[in-house]
Amino acid sequence: MTLITGLSGNEIYCLRRKGLTPGDLVIGNSVIALGLVRSLLSGLKTLVGGEVHQITALIQEGRSRAYRRLVREAGQRGGVGITGVANELVFQGTNVEFLAIGSCLHRENGTPDDELAFSTSADGQALYCQLDCGFRPLQFVFGNVAYAVGLGGGLLGGLRSLVRGEVVEFSRLFNTIRHLALQRISAEATAVGANAVVGIRTTILPFVGLQEMVMIGTASHHPALPAAYTDAPITSDLTNEEMWNLIDQGLMPVQLVLGVSVYSLGLWGGLSAFFKSFVRGEIRELSSLIYAAREQALRHIEVDARRCGADQVVGIKTYVYNLGGGIVEFLAIGTAVKAMPGVHTLSEQLLPQAIIRDQDTFINTAQSSSAAPLNQPTNSRSILGSVGTLFAIVAWIGYVMFVIFR
């Protein structure tokens, strides 16, 4: 039969160096009706904000069902592994499809009786790096949380947003949400006997009026890790190529660290920034607010890094999300690393084919999407737009009060 694989030439080259050969593309899916989702939404406490447990469980089961079907198909094809596992949501009109897709792998000189030994979110090149770092991949894992922003911590949080500075209720809410996904992916890894989750990718997706934060990665085992990590696996959002470079220097990732802070311009700060936006020059209210919020998010990361005994935090990325009404969330994310004895790569030099990026040869410029790019950082223009909306509301309330009491 003709081989049909999702692996590129570079991936095939790298995997052959580890005794693996390409197999067929495999797919698993599950489709649910959005009518069911809407009926669940009607009873949700979306005004309060926070995790919506019913929807989290629904999405988790849909993703798991699609993954199990993917694994079953790979086993039927005699694969020893599945690489490049992706677990996506595809909206099909009034239905949503949970889609799992990957490529089978076989051992060189393998037999038809070979059993499926692992699955990984890493593509062929990243899997080569992971294997060369000494990790043994076990299973594709994910952790998710569906949540509603609601009133962002209730009425108290809403009232505090009228005052300039950090909205503590909002910060606690979002900090809890962001860490839940990490806790759940770690729990999945522990359940399969892993002491590490590597190559974690984090995505925020819209889902029927809510948002889902999902982390995917590969539960793995590394023989050089101390026994303590059996119950609390290391977590890393470094690419496997980046991880190879650090492990070559004797540095091991120990924990993905997150810092969240939510700040408000406040009523008067918002009005002042709005009027100053008509004049050329710096808007100091915005400058100082963004600086303070970013510093607070980084302080949270520093605390997490100290708790896990890290030597440094690398690969820090910062994002800004506009929550509306002059309120912004600052998210900082990175990986804490520390020096460990006995940590090294198997090869002295990384293959060039492991770091060459494949070029996209299919480009569809006709496709359009109505979904908001939730992972795209928000610029100050968006913040000022929200401030303008807030000003319009305040002006309207003032006008009504004037008409009533004149």
Side-chain angles (χ1 to χ4, degrees), residues 164-398:
R164 177 186 171 85
E166 184 177 14
V167 186
V168 178
E169 290 75 17
F170 283 42
S171 292
R172 288 174 182 166
L173 172 69
F174 279 87
N175 189 62
T176 300
I177 288 169
R178 303 309 187 208
H179 280 84
L180 272 176
L182 182 60
Q183 293 168 12
R184 287 167 182 167
I185 197 172
S186 296
E188 281 204 1
T190 302
V192 298
N195 60 7
V197 188
V198 296
I200 294 176
R201 293 197 300 272
T202 304
T203 307
I204 299 175
L205 299 168
F207 189 85
V208 197
L210 304 175
Q211 294 179 12
E212 182 204 18
M213 180 173 179
V214 58
M215 292 182 175
I216 67 170
T218 303
S220 308
H221 184 272
H222 197 291
L225 286 172
Y229 292 105
T230 302
D231 296 325
I234 70 167
T235 51
S236 168
D237 76 335
L238 295 170
T239 67
N240 286 281
E241 294 89 339
E242 290 177 288
M243 185 173 69
W244 191 97
N245 287 312
L246 289 171
I247 288 182
D248 186 58
Q249 302 172 60
L251 294 170
M252 175 69 79
V254 289
Q255 185 176 313
L256 186 154
V257 286
L258 292 163
V260 178
S261 64
V262 180
Y263 273 60
S264 171
L265 276 173
L267 179 60
W268 299 116
L271 291 175
S272 175
F274 173 75
F275 286 118
K276 287 184 178 180
S277 67
F278 292 104
V279 181
R280 179 182 176 86
E282 182 182 11
I283 303 176
R284 294 184 181 276
E285 290 81 3
L286 279 175
S287 296
S288 59
L289 177 82
I290 293 172
Y291 181 85
R294 185 176 289 113
E295 288 296 301
Q296 180 71 352
L298 292 175
R299 278 194 290 272
H300 289 313
I301 276 188
E302 185 180 359
V303 170
D304 279 357
R306 283 203 302 268
R307 285 175 182 164
C308 65
D311 295 326
Q312 54 187 297
V313 180
V314 300
I316 291 180
K317 298 167 287 290
T318 60
Y319 303 93
V320 183
Y321 299 96
N322 178 16
L323 302 182
I327 302 173
V328 288
E329 177 199 2
F330 292 80
L331 170 65
I333 184 169
T335 297
V337 301
K338 66 185 298 184
M340 285 191 186
V343 170
H344 58 83
T345 57
L346 302 182
S347 304
E348 292 185 0
Q349 189 170 358
L350 192 59
L351 286 175
Q353 287 82 359
I355 57 175
I356 295 173
R357 296 298 93 189
D358 296 317
Q359 296 185 19
D360 194 350
T361 57
F362 177 80
I363 301 171
N364 182 3
T365 59
Q367 185 179 14
S368 61
S369 172
S370 59
L374 297 177
N375 276 348
Q376 182 175 331
T378 304
N379 58 25
S380 59
R381 183 176 299 180
S382 300
I383 299 173
L384 288 175
S386 298
V387 173
T389 302
L390 178 64
F391 173 77
I393 293 172
V394 172
W396 180 80
I397 293 174

Side-chain angles (χ1 to χ4, degrees), residues 73-92:
E73 184 174 320
Q76 292 169 351
R77 295 176 183 271
V80 297
I82 316 171
T83 188
V85 176
N87 203 312
E88 305 171 0
L89 300 181
V90 182
F91 290 90
Q92 310 279 12

Side-chain angles (χ1 to χ4, degrees), residues 91-109:
F91 290 90
Q92 310 279 12
T94 59
N95 302 321
V96 60
E97 177 188 22
F98 298 90
L99 175 64
I101 186 168
S103 292
C104 270
L105 294 174
H106 302 277
R107 295 198 193 282
E108 275 189 322
N109 305 319

